[in-house]
Amino acid sequence: MRMNVYLTTGRKNYKYAYVAIQSLFENNPDAEIYLYIVSEDLEEADLAHEYALAETYGNHIIILRFDEEVAGRHIQVHADDHWPIGTMSSYWLFHELLPEDVDQILVIESDTVIVGDLSEIYRMDFDGAYAICPGPEHKPKNHRDFMEKIGGDCLTFVLSMYDVKRIREDFTLGEILAEDEIVKKHVGNSQMEFTFGLLFKGKIKYVPGKISCIDENERYMQELGYDYVAACEKTAKIIHFSSYKDYSKPWNPVFLVPGYNVWWKYAMESPYYREYIERQWQIYDASRAKQAAVQKNVTYRNILACTLVLLVLVLCAACLLTDVGVVGVAAVVGAAVFSLVASLTVRFISMR
């Protein structure tokens, strides 16, 4: 059975994708896998280990070139976002990137480890749907509420499968990007899950997350609990280490989640294992530098706070020693309290 799989990565992070690729090949021995790696800068020479791995399993790797400069005219990604424009390449997947003979494709991501056979999901009938994906029960409540608010359905991108032929027939690239415009008006940036959730509303077929995909990050651990997450690891086909701005990943363990053990089991077999370890310490050193900068900033803030308190005390003393008297003291204290409340209010609003 031929299985078309999509993954996006770039030269900066492609070595971490080796775990996803190796675990994909190892856990799907009966499929002939065509892995389409969409990238803005990878060359075949970069993937010598990956091509050798594919040959060992009788599979294929095809690099599809993604033009970030062209995409940047349509896609909005904030400078401080932890994902690049290249992760939005699936907008162009159906019409400009995939070969014409590809009629369906299954999505994984580079920050995953495959722990089961995906062929059962790949052989599923679309039953009129444009996409098949894990159920919304593993999405955070605020995600589900947001999709309901904007009139779309929840779509989980990892382990989603697309009827490429029907999407090509029923939607143009322009129509896909038009949905992205709606998303940008709501959240200020592009987001594939929101866009496809709107585009395919009423036409998404769900596979229970418990048997398809489990996401592991701080929020999921808090909402679902350790016991549930650990149980899902035994029945799901894929573990996804999604992250937020802290960029927590198995190779950057800001905190620990159960699936990191699974990822590192495959990582130990990777030709990049030593680099994973060495790079981890580089990431840690960078984190320590940021912490030192924060501590320095806090120290300056403490000095500023002490200066303001002393200023208020000096002004109050000056008021009492002059004709201004108690009225002046009340005015100084009142101004200080007003400034404090106003500052806290501004901070509260800016942090929301």
Side-chain angles (χ1 to χ4, degrees), residues 263-281:
W263 191 91
W264 278 103
K265 182 189 74 171
Y266 284 97
M268 291 176 66
E269 302 175 14
S270 166
Y272 306 116
Y273 178 64
R274 177 174 177 171
E275 293 183 53
Y276 297 157
I277 299 296
E278 292 175 343
R279 177 59 181 151
Q280 183 185 27
W281 284 103

Side-chain angles (χ1 to χ4, degrees), residues 3-21:
M3 181 186 296
N4 301 314
V5 180
Y6 158 89
L7 180 149
T8 178
T9 189
R11 190 167 288 167
K12 182 179 179 180
N13 292 316
Y14 78 93
K15 293 179 180 178
Y16 298 115
Y18 189 93
V19 168
I21 296 170

Side-chain angles (χ1 to χ4, degrees), residues 75-91:
I75 299 302
Q76 181 174 334
V77 177
H78 297 310
D80 59 346
D81 282 339
H82 63 289
W83 61 80
I85 290 178
T87 60
M88 307 296 168
S89 59
S90 60
Y91 291 170

Side-chain angles (χ1 to χ4, degrees), residues 339-351:
S339 299
L340 176 62
V341 172
S343 298
L344 291 174
T345 301
V346 170
R347 174 177 166 78
F348 175 77
I349 293 173
S350 64
M351 294 289 287

Side-chain angles (χ1 to χ4, degrees), residues 66-73:
F66 178 69
D67 193 328
E68 284 198 325
E69 183 177 347
V70 172
R73 300 170 193 164

Side-chain angles (χ1 to χ4, degrees), residues 69-233:
E69 183 177 347
V70 172
R73 300 170 193 164
H74 305 277
I75 299 302
Q76 181 174 334
V77 177
H78 297 310
D80 59 346
D81 282 339
H82 63 289
W83 61 80
I85 290 178
T87 60
M88 307 296 168
S89 59
S90 60
Y91 291 170
W92 283 262
L93 193 66
F94 312 108
H95 296 284
E96 296 188 2
L97 294 176
L98 285 175
E100 287 296 322
D101 64 339
V102 175
D103 57 356
Q104 72 179 69
I105 196 159
L106 185 68
V107 172
I108 63 172
E109 289 190 7
S110 58
D111 55 352
T112 60
V113 59
I114 289 77
V115 292
D117 190 337
L118 304 182
S119 60
E120 181 180 351
I121 293 176
Y122 194 84
R123 288 195 297 262
M124 281 186 174
D125 195 314
F126 281 92
D127 294 324
Y130 293 110
I132 298 173
C133 74
E137 66 274 8
H138 285 176
K139 283 295 182 187
K141 185 177 184 303
N142 64 338
H143 184 116
R144 301 194 302 268
D145 291 344
F146 175 74
M147 290 310 299
E148 182 178 354
K149 175 184 175 182
I150 66 174
D153 291 336
C154 283
L155 182 138
T156 296
F157 191 62
V158 175
L159 208 62
S160 56
M161 186 167 65
Y162 299 91
D163 188 336
V164 176
K165 184 178 179 180
R166 281 196 62 210
I167 292 171
R168 282 172 174 160
E169 292 172 349
D170 294 353
F171 302 99
T172 65
L173 175 59
E175 288 172 323
I176 294 174
L177 294 175
E179 294 298 318
D180 179 70
E181 290 296 322
I182 296 173
V183 170
K184 285 191 289 189
K185 289 179 182 177
H186 282 282
V187 298
N189 57 268
S190 301
Q191 218 276 15
M192 291 179 299
E193 291 186 327
F194 296 160
T195 295
F196 288 138
L198 285 172
L199 190 70
F200 303 143
K201 178 177 172 56
K203 295 288 186 178
I204 300 174
K205 181 176 179 178
Y206 293 118
V207 181
K210 187 179 294 186
I211 61 171
S212 54
C213 174
I214 181 68
D215 275 84
E216 296 193 19
N217 59 39
E218 183 180 14
R219 179 179 296 175
Y220 287 94
M221 292 300 296
Q222 290 173 341
E223 293 194 12
L224 300 176
Y226 170 84
D227 291 336
Y228 182 82
V229 171
C232 287
E233 286 183 5

